Amino acid sequence: MAKRSQKKVSSYAAKDIQVLEGLEAVRRRPGMYVGGTDIKALHHLVYEVVDNSIDEALAGACDQIDIVIHPDCSVSVEDNGRGIPVDKHPEQKKSALEIVMTILHAGAKFGGDGYKVSGGLHGVGVSAVNALSEWCEVEVKRDGKIYFQRYERGAPMDPVKAIGKVSKDETGTKTTFMFDRTIFKGDFEYRYESLIQRFREMAFVTRGVAIHLLDERDGREMTFFFEGGISSFVAYLNHNRGVLHPVVHVEKETDGTGIEVALQYTDAYAESVYSFANTINTIDGGTHLTGLRAAITRTINDYSRKNNLLKDTDPNFSGDDTREGLTAIVSIKHRDPQFESQTKVKLMNAEVQTQVQQVLGEAFYEFLEENPRAAKAVVQKCLTSARARDAAKKARDLVIRKSVLESMTLPGKLADCSERDPNKCELYIVEGNSAGGTAKMGRDRHFQAILPLRGKILNTERARLDKILSNNEVKAMISALGTSIGETFNLEGLRYGRVIIMTDADVDGSHIRTLLLTFFFRYMNQLIEAGHLFVAQPPLYRISYKKKIHYAYTEAEREQIIKGLGVSGDRVSLSRYKGLGEMNPEQLWDTTMDPANRILLQVTIEDAAAADRTFDMLMGAAVPPRRRFIQTHAKEVRNLDV
Ligand code: 0RA
């Protein structure tokens, strides 16, 4: 390598081989730096660049971030911060901008200690994005000038140069990059919905910054701006719920950790608690969430005892008792966040638990003392929850006792299979009675059982366990599965190795699928973890030509099939399946139930958690946007055929 530099290649790019070697490492092993070369990693490139602007916002130097997805799939991120410094670095004899763009982890060294706060998931810096881009261009407005540099596959084409003038007070940074298709080889493109989700979260936890996304491919755009930060987030989540008091908000820095919590009780039953670490939504929680929960339970118990709201003979409230109807956000900013390696969405820093517990405990106690009416409503809510939980336990015990007694009595609606070895058995949970009938006729009764569910099952997100258990559809499902639920779940009782949710390929179908996934996620988690839960995929189209029938499961496949037939469209008969009921039993077997042809999607915990979250986020929304949301998300499930 040293040899090459001696050859005196005049190109600027060849000047610093070491730099290129660093970036070459990123190109060779993208997995180590951005987590892979799939669509998720591709989105990470965007987040990495936006993170830098968020840091500028957290430093109080920027209040506007504009992201544009261009028609050629290049992406621009522009902020109105101070602009990346462009002056020459004394040792490296290069512009600071160039160093930030071409040296791994260089960013952190600049603004000094603690400069980088946001992100932290991969946190590799914008140089990694540069390395993985076919080309990248940066424009910096600073000191009345516009500076510019272009890179190809990480290598600068020329030194940083001034290309124009602006007024002195106009500053900012604009980065445009085109991901390298020789690295991200898959047939995928940026997904507006995924980006929006992340930007919404970033905006929530970064008070006062406006994040605007424009997708030039189809003209969609969205701006997020939350003046009140996470308090706005809580208000947003609760906007259709009856609230018991104003939002409680606390923000404090302890031992270098920034802690912010907002919470509000509602008359709902579910707990909607979200945790963020360095703007990342830690969906698996972690120490900050544990601290929040501990603070709430302890504070309510202490307050209730002190004010004689709990009788001496009453036991303390359990954690669950104090979380019904709770909407809360905890957002922490840590210099060195540690995430659990596998999921990357769980915060591990032990000290954060005590820090959050202390900061919130103090503030929440003070709030209760100063707002006796609110305090009374909250404690009352906890008392009701405790009683309901007791009733639910009794109801559940009854269901379990009954189901032991009646273990031979399977639900009447169940069309069971004849095979007795659970590993060979499949249960299809089918939406709608008519579809259920078709499935019963189309199945292989030797190993396939059918359980039709009528209409929409109870909205499990909002209902209490005791209510859920008394729902007939849910009862039928529980007894058919044989595992019981919640704390008494026992995988050994499972009567079917594959539990398959089969719903229509339309909006209502995805709604019911979301409901079922939410139910399984909350009450039969281990069923998912052990890989027993699947989603069937019925075709969208039936294409018949010269007595031969083809099925298409996606729009792309439909086009491909018609093209492949090599005839003009009008001689092909095309019908779109709106529901399972439109198929006859043979067609349903051929397309959706026959193990030789069907496509099954295995449900992962992440899928189910996403459904659960989606659902929670959607509960307050009006109907039309809700429909659109579910519709777009339904297409997201991965293909994981078995
Ligand atoms: C280091 C120091 C300063 C600003 C930045 C980095 C900076 C980086 C990025 C990345 C995207 N947008 C950005 N904006 C600013 C401070 C320079 C000063 O004190 O003027």
Side-chain angles (χ1 to χ4, degrees):
M1 275 299 177
K3 255 193 190 142
R4 227 202 296 163
S5 60
Q6 282 165 10
K7 256 175 45 187
K8 237 187 155 20
V9 185
S10 63
S11 132
Y12 183 81
K15 251 190 191 164
D16 197 334
I17 301 290
Q18 232 183 348
V19 167
L20 292 182
E21 270 175 359
L23 295 191
E24 197 45 52
V26 181
R27 292 176 59 80
R28 262 200 313 272
R29 308 184 64 182
M32 274 194 48
Y33 298 90
V34 292
T37 55
D38 55 3
I39 180 149
K40 223 171 138 190
L42 186 63
H43 289 152
H44 255 294
L45 300 186
V46 182
Y47 303 150
E48 192 64 50
V49 179
V50 176
D51 273 353
N52 290 300
S53 301
I54 289 281
D55 277 318
E56 208 38 23
L58 289 171
C62 150
D63 62 7
Q64 175 78 38
I65 303 173
D66 285 278
I67 302 117
V68 182
I69 310 170
H70 300 290
D72 65 355
C73 274
S74 62
V75 171
S76 302
V77 178
E78 180 168 17
D79 68 52
N80 64 351
R82 292 165 295 185
I84 302 179
V86 290
D87 46 320
K88 286 239 165 63
H89 190 277
E91 279 165 42
Q92 308 255 8
K93 299 197 178 63
K94 269 193 289 209
S95 155
L97 170 63
E98 181 175 328
I99 292 167
V100 168
M101 293 305 295
T102 58
I103 297 184
L104 276 178
H105 305 288
K109 295 192 193 109
F110 269 88
D113 209 16
Y115 155 64
K116 191 166 175 62
V117 183
S118 70
L121 191 50
H122 293 291
V124 287
V126 71
S127 62
V129 178
N130 190 20
L132 299 173
S133 295
E134 185 189 319
W135 56 263
C136 176
E137 294 178 351
V138 183
E139 254 180 66
V140 172
K141 288 184 219 156
R142 252 184 104 92
D143 314 321
K145 288 194 181 124
I146 305 174
Y147 297 92
F148 174 86
Q149 192 169 36
R150 179 181 164 96
Y151 319 82
E152 290 181 10
R153 304 212 152 94
M157 292 295 99
D158 288 293
V160 174
K161 63 171 181 248
I163 56 163
K165 280 186 191 162
V166 280
S167 84
K168 267 239 156 69
D169 53 8
E170 202 179 324
T171 58
T173 306
K174 179 179 178 181
T175 308
T176 306
F177 69 96
M178 170 64 105
F179 70 90
D180 191 340
R181 285 198 190 265
T182 67
I183 287 174
F184 299 91
K185 293 200 186 84
D187 181 20
F188 43 66
E189 289 176 356
Y190 292 109
R191 285 197 49 252
Y192 180 80
E193 299 291 346
S194 305
L195 296 172
I196 276 294
Q197 170 90 4
R198 172 91 177 104
F199 296 149
R200 179 193 287 119
E201 292 169 353
M202 280 176 158
F204 274 137
V205 297
T206 318
R207 187 183 9 228
V209 67
I211 303 182
H212 172 238
L213 172 66
L214 168 63
D215 189 343
E216 286 183 345
R217 296 171 303 181
D218 57 14
R220 280 192 286 184
E221 63 184 312
M222 186 95 83
T223 301
F224 297 108
F225 172 67
F226 299 99
E227 208 170 8
I230 60 171
S231 293
S232 303
F233 197 165
V234 167
Y236 163 85
L237 290 169
N238 284 346
H239 79 278
N240 258 2
R241 300 172 180 169
V243 302
L244 303 187
H245 57 83
V247 178
V248 180
H249 179 262
V250 57
E251 187 169 13
K252 201 172 170 184
E253 199 180 308
T254 335
D255 301 328
T257 310
I259 293 161
E260 195 182 356
V261 182
L263 69 87
Q264 187 176 40
Y265 276 89
T266 70
D267 58 10
Y269 303 118
E271 175 192 5
S272 305
V273 176
Y274 299 92
S275 63
F276 295 82
N278 291 11
T279 79
I280 289 168
N281 184 350
T282 38
I283 57 171
D284 286 341
T287 50
H288 49 348
L289 181 62
T290 313
L292 172 126
R293 289 178 160 173
I296 287 174
T297 308
R298 175 179 281 189
T299 306
I300 294 181
N301 274 312
D302 286 355
Y303 179 85
S304 304
R305 292 276 172 219
K306 199 168 160 221
N307 293 278
N308 295 318
L309 298 168
L310 273 177
K311 288 198 230 68
D312 286 347
T313 50
D314 285 338
N316 267 353
F317 290 123
S318 72
D320 285 335
D321 295 339
T322 62
R323 290 198 285 270
E324 259 190 28
L326 172 67
T327 302
I329 312 290
V330 54
S331 166
I332 68 110
K333 309 255 160 62
H334 198 281
R335 237 164 258 262
D336 180 27
Q338 303 295 317
F339 294 98
E340 189 189 61
S341 57
Q342 210 182 1
T343 57
K344 301 243 165 89
V345 284
K346 184 171 181 181
L347 184 73
M348 303 304 280
N349 304 63
E351 76 281 9
V352 174
Q353 183 178 328
T354 345
Q355 291 167 346
V356 171
Q357 193 174 337
Q358 239 155 38
V359 168
L360 176 61
E362 226 166 82
F364 189 36
Y365 201 93
E366 203 178 298
F367 170 82
L368 294 177
E369 285 203 311
E370 286 172 6
N371 300 273
R373 269 185 44 194
K376 220 173 145 198
V378 170
V379 175
Q380 191 55 48
K381 171 86 184 164
C382 296
L383 279 167
T384 314
S385 310
R387 277 185 210 124
R389 200 166 311 284
D390 210 41
K393 190 175 174 323
K394 290 202 180 99
R396 190 172 51 204
D397 289 349
L398 196 70
V399 170
I400 293 161
R401 258 204 314 281
K402 259 186 166 167
S403 74
V404 172
L405 283 173
E406 302 165 2
S407 56
M408 308 310 275
T409 29
L410 288 162
K413 296 189 283 183
L414 175 75
D416 213 353
C417 52
S418 54
E419 174 62 52
R420 283 291 151 245
D421 176 0
N423 291 322
K424 296 183 184 146
C425 293
E426 300 182 340
L427 176 69
Y428 275 84
I429 298 171
V430 186
E431 163 211 1
N433 276 335
S434 67
T438 314
K440 278 181 196 174
M441 288 188 277
R443 68 176 171 150
D444 180 336
R445 61 180 61 242
H446 174 63
F447 70 100
Q448 293 179 319
I450 309 293
L451 180 69
L453 294 185
R454 201 165 354 97
K456 298 195 176 181
I457 65 160
L458 198 69
N459 172 358
T460 56
E461 201 276 332
R462 287 218 146 176
R464 282 201 191 120
L465 201 60
D466 51 348
K467 261 201 191 153
I468 288 168
L469 283 167
S470 61
N471 176 270
N472 280 331
E473 309 298 313
V474 175
K475 265 199 221 159
M477 208 160 67
I478 298 167
S479 51
L481 290 171
T483 55
S484 180
I485 65 167
E487 284 155 34
T488 55
F489 181 90
N490 180 6
L491 195 59
E492 278 170 29
L494 185 63
R495 301 180 58 246
Y496 308 92
R498 286 183 181 146
V499 178
I500 303 163
I501 299 171
M502 184 158 73
T503 54
D504 287 342
D506 65 1
V507 179
D508 287 337
S510 13
H511 192 187
I512 290 156
R513 184 167 55 237
T514 307
L515 282 170
L516 286 168
L517 289 175
T518 302
F519 170 80
F520 281 111
F521 176 71
R522 296 217 170 174
Y523 301 106
M524 297 195 180
N525 213 300
Q526 295 167 60
L527 185 90
I528 304 173
E529 258 168 10
H532 294 292
L533 189 63
F534 298 85
V535 173
Q537 209 185 18
L540 285 179
Y541 293 101
R542 176 175 184 270
I543 303 155
S544 67
Y545 174 65
K546 285 191 178 166
K547 290 193 178 148
K548 252 195 100 161
I549 296 171
H550 306 262
Y551 298 101
Y553 293 82
T554 60
E555 302 287 338
E557 210 176 345
R558 181 201 64 193
E559 281 169 30
Q560 204 183 347
I561 291 170
I562 294 179
K563 225 180 185 177
L565 291 172
V567 285
S568 74
D570 52 80
R571 291 173 52 206
V572 175
S573 134
L574 177 76
S575 57
R576 189 189 155 93
Y577 287 117
K578 285 189 211 75
L580 298 165
E582 289 178 10
M583 276 185 255
N584 64 37
E586 292 75 40
Q587 289 168 342
L588 189 60
W589 165 259
D590 285 344
T591 59
T592 319
M593 298 180 75
D594 177 2
N597 294 329
R598 72 181 176 193
I599 299 173
L600 283 189
L601 311 171
Q602 189 169 36
V603 177
T604 64
I605 282 291
E606 287 90 61
D607 294 334
D612 186 54
R613 276 203 311 145
T614 301
F615 207 64
D616 202 41
M617 288 277 203
L618 285 167
M619 281 321 294
V623 171
R626 180 173 354 170
R627 286 188 161 234
R628 199 170 58 233
F629 195 85
I630 293 175
Q631 222 166 354
T632 39
H633 272 251
K635 294 186 199 133
E636 230 176 78
V637 248
R638 286 186 305 279
N639 261 18
L640 265 171
D641 194 16
V642 280

